[in-house]
């Protein structure tokens, strides 16, 4: 079936609708787009809506016409899917601009910069290493790694000048752990350096970013706080509740006390005594102590309320007589 | 073992001041070579000489049963309760004293209040609700308590009226032996 002829007939029939363009319409079938590059005719724009409709029709017609010239997929396979004949679109001709900005190049680490300066070429180490004694490939690090060979051996050689209580295994382990922490530190320093290098020089942008971060941390801390409060709102104060994974541990305020042992020389004892004398003075002044009405209970004071009552009683007794 | 915090010190001093008043200074402000200190171990307050403190610091908390003189203990609500073990120091500096007659000794040592019939002597001008140390007639301290009436008011009281509310007595050394220190 050749539709092109039908289409031509249709075009002839509706010839009055399809416009004649000076520059032929460019079609990019890959993007399903048609471009009408003919300069604008001002007079035609007087009757705007029908003109625009006919312009659209012209472009669409040429796009559709171009679609039917495309190679078609095998008829049988297309009918089996029940979609009818299909055409494969060619790759787009028009280059579209990128949606997002190009990613910034990765900042070199301090070592990479140093290596480049010195002309040291990169050499990738294998993850596995050949073990002569065992006669097999062993991993450089991790489980059964070669890097903890020294600390896991059954016999340690101790040098004459070493301390009597030296534990070679733990010393080696500590050294390895120190290397790990050092590397972590360097890693974080490298990331910080990269962040700073990529940071925008515009203070307004930087401020907006910082504000966003601070508001996020503020909101996060608020949520954490709410979670903490609601967590204790059960009969057991949240003690027997199921903990979520990664739920932060609640850290209370630790009590702090003075040192038990007083430093020799009497300075500590004197300090403690002075502290206690201060407390004693406050106790003697009766600070913080509830004083009952009328000075009752205070040393050397007359309980006025009681005295008045007593005197009244005495007078009444005398009158009766 | 640790020194008392300020609040704890205040609670202890307020209680002690009720019995020995201004003499409390003599417990704190002592000679350099005879210095004492207050220490807290497992809710109990101890009063001990400094050199004893130096010896005791090397003993682990759970192993330390007692050091120096136990003055009393803190309740779970933070109130301080004087114990009978503090009697030696209280008797030494007591401001107000009550002496009980020989027939009144045993009732007091069994934990009863001091009634007027048993009252031998009392310090003059003792106010109401004042902490007092109770002695027998031969000046041996038996315990301490709080006056129910002032000295003046005791005169009008009938013989079965209570003069001193019992708080602690040396009979506790036998009765509450296991929880004493």
């Amino acid at each position: 079936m050749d539709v092109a002829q039908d289409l031509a007939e249709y075009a002839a029939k509706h010839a009055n609708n399809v416009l004649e363009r000076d520059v032929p319409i460019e079609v990019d079938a890959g993007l399903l787009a048609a471009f009408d590059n003919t300069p604008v005719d001002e007079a035609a724009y007087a009757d705007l809506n029908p003109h625009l409709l006919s312009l659209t029709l012209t472009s669409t017609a040429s796009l559709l016409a171009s679609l039917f010239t495309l190679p078609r997929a095998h008829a049988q396979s297309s009918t089996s899917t029940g979609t009818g004949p299909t055409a494969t679109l060619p790759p787009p001709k028009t280059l579209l601009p990128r949606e997002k900005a190009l990613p910034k190049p990765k900042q070199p680490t301090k070592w990479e910069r140093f290596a480049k300066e010195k002309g040291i070429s990169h050499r990738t180490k294998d993850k596995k290493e050949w073990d002569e004694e065992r006669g097999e490939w062993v991993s450089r690090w991790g489980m059964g790694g070669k890097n903890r060979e020294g600390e896991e051996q059954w016999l340690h050689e101790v040098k004459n000048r070493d301390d009597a209580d030296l534990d070679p295994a733990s010393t080696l382990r500590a050294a390895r752990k120190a290397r790990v922490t050092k590397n972590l530190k360097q890693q974080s320093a490298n990331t910080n350096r990269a962040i700073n290098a990529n940071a925008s020089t515009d203070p307004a942008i930087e401020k907006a970013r910082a504000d966003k971060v601070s508001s996020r941390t503020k909101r996060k801390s608020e949520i954490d706080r709410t979670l903490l409060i609601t967590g204790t709102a059960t009969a057991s104060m949240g003690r027997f509740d199921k903990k979520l994974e990664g739920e932060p541990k609640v850290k209370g305020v630790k009590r702090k006390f003075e040192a038990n042992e007083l430093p020799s020389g009497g300075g500590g004892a004197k300090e403690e005594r002075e502290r206690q004398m201060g407390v004693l003075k406050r106790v003697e002044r009766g600070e913080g102590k509830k004083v009952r009405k009328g000075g009752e209970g205070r040393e050397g004071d007359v309980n006025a309320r009681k005295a008045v009552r007593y005197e009244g009683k005495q007078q009444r007794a005398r009158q009766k007589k | 073992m640790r020194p008392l915090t300020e609040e704890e010190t205040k609670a202890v001093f307020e209680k002690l001041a009720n019995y020995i008043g201004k003499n409390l200074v003599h417990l704190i402000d002592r000679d350099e070579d005879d210095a004492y200190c207050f220490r807290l171990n497992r809710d109990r307050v101890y009063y001990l000489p400094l050199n004893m403190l130096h010896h005791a610091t090397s003993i682990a908390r759970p192993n330390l049963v007692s050091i120096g003189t136990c003055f009393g203990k803190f309740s779970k609500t933070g109130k301080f309760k004087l114990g009978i073990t503090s009697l030696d120091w209280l008797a030494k500096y007591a401001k107000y004293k009550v002496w009980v007659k020989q027939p009144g000794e045993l009732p007091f040592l069994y934990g009863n209040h001091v009634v007027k019939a048993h009252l031998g002597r009392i310090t003059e001008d003792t106010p109401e609700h004042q902490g007092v140390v109770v002695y027998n007639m031969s000046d041996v301290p038996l315990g301490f308590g709080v006056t129910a009436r002032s000295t003046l008011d005791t005169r009008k009281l009938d013989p079965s009226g209570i003069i001193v509310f019992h708080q602690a007595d040396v009979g506790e050394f036998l009765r509450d032996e296991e929880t004493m220190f």
Side-chain angles (χ1 to χ4, degrees), chain A residues 257-262 269 272-273 276-277 279-280 282-284 287-288 292 296 299 306 310, chain B residues 1-3 5-6 10 13-14 24-25 28-30 32 37-39 50 53-54 57 95 128:
Chain A
F257 300 116
E258 299 290 332
N260 178 36
E261 184 69 16
L262 302 163
E272 191 175 316
R273 192 166 60 220
Q276 287 183 338
M277 289 303 279
V279 175
L280 179 62
R282 257 171 289 149
V283 168
E284 275 175 356
E287 259 175 43
R292 272 173 273 179
E296 189 179 0
E299 227 170 271
K306 213 163 191 178
Y310 180 78
Chain B
M1 192 169 49
R2 63 171 175 85
T5 63
E6 194 157 322
K10 203 173 154 221
F13 284 1
E14 268 172 6
L24 187 49
V25 174
I28 305 160
D29 201 10
R30 297 174 72 91
E32 284 284 314
C37 63
F38 286 95
R39 282 293 179 273
L50 272 190
L53 172 74
H54 297 315
T57 36
K95 210 172 167 195
E128 204 178 11

Side-chain angles (χ1 to χ4, degrees), chain A residues 18-318:
Chain A
V18 176
L19 302 175
E20 273 298 316
R21 307 303 282 164
D22 296 340
V23 185
I25 286 169
E26 249 178 67
V27 174
D28 187 353
L31 290 174
L32 290 177
F35 304 99
D36 189 349
N37 288 335
T38 315
V40 173
D41 179 17
E42 209 186 334
Y45 273 70
D47 194 9
L48 186 64
N49 271 336
H51 180 65
L52 283 181
L53 261 178
S54 55
L55 272 181
T56 319
L57 184 73
T58 317
S59 303
T60 317
S62 60
L63 173 64
L64 283 174
S66 78
L67 284 186
F68 282 100
T69 59
L70 291 174
R72 266 181 248 169
H74 205 266
Q76 219 168 19
S77 70
S78 55
T79 45
S80 66
T81 54
T83 50
T86 52
T88 325
L89 295 179
K93 283 186 284 182
T94 322
L95 284 179
L96 291 177
R98 192 188 156 87
E99 186 197 0
K100 293 205 166 83
L102 271 177
K104 277 169 185 153
K106 189 179 157 283
Q107 288 289 324
T109 62
K110 197 171 182 180
W111 160 252
E112 278 165 355
R113 249 184 295 149
F114 176 75
K116 199 181 167 195
E117 212 172 90
K118 293 279 175 186
I120 302 166
S121 62
H122 184 64
R123 183 170 57 89
T124 336
K125 270 191 200 166
D126 279 338
K127 211 188 158 211
K128 298 261 181 178
E129 202 177 351
W130 179 254
D131 193 328
E132 286 285 343
E133 279 174 37
R134 277 192 270 175
E136 58 181 4
W137 290 93
V138 291
S139 32
R140 258 175 216 283
W141 68 88
M143 197 175 147
K146 192 100 167 143
N147 63 340
R148 56 178 91 179
E149 201 181 38
E151 62 204 71
E152 275 169 3
Q153 61 189 342
W154 66 278
L155 186 67
H156 292 276
E157 194 181 342
V158 180
K159 297 210 174 81
N160 246 347
R161 60 170 184 276
D162 284 342
D163 281 341
D165 57 347
L166 177 89
D167 184 354
S170 65
T171 320
L172 284 170
R173 187 185 144 80
R176 180 168 59 80
K177 290 283 174 196
R179 282 199 301 276
V180 170
T181 45
K182 187 191 168 201
N183 187 252
L184 280 175
K185 220 172 112 188
Q186 286 175 332
Q187 254 181 37
S188 74
N190 274 329
T191 19
N192 281 344
R193 220 174 287 129
I195 287 167
N196 287 339
N198 284 340
S200 167
T201 46
D202 190 351
I205 292 173
E206 276 307 285
K207 194 180 171 290
R209 190 179 292 161
D211 281 353
K212 201 176 160 193
V213 168
S214 76
S215 81
R216 196 194 298 139
T217 49
K218 204 172 145 196
R219 213 163 50 230
K220 193 161 175 269
S221 71
E222 261 167 28
I223 289 171
D224 279 347
R225 209 179 108 77
T226 318
L227 195 75
L228 210 88
I229 292 166
T230 49
T232 56
T234 62
S236 67
M237 307 280 277
R239 185 164 223 195
F240 299 107
D241 290 358
K242 253 187 200 160
K243 288 272 178 297
L244 294 174
E245 206 180 297
E247 196 175 329
K249 248 188 191 169
V250 184
K251 276 185 191 162
V253 181
K254 277 210 167 179
R255 302 181 301 171
K256 284 224 173 77
F257 300 116
E258 299 290 332
N260 178 36
E261 184 69 16
L262 302 163
S264 51
K270 201 178 165 197
E271 197 183 296
E272 191 175 316
R273 192 166 60 220
E274 260 153 32
R275 215 165 42 228
Q276 287 183 338
M277 289 303 279
V279 175
L280 179 62
K281 246 177 218 156
R282 257 171 289 149
V283 168
E284 275 175 356
R285 261 186 272 143
E287 259 175 43
K289 201 177 171 186
K290 259 193 263 169
V291 178
R292 272 173 273 179
K293 231 187 337 184
E296 189 179 0
R298 214 189 288 156
E299 227 170 271
D301 256 350
V302 176
N303 185 344
R305 182 172 54 89
K306 213 163 191 178
V308 168
R309 204 173 56 199
Y310 180 78
E311 193 53 39
K313 251 185 202 171
Q314 299 286 84
Q315 273 182 3
R316 260 172 271 138
R318 256 178 268 141

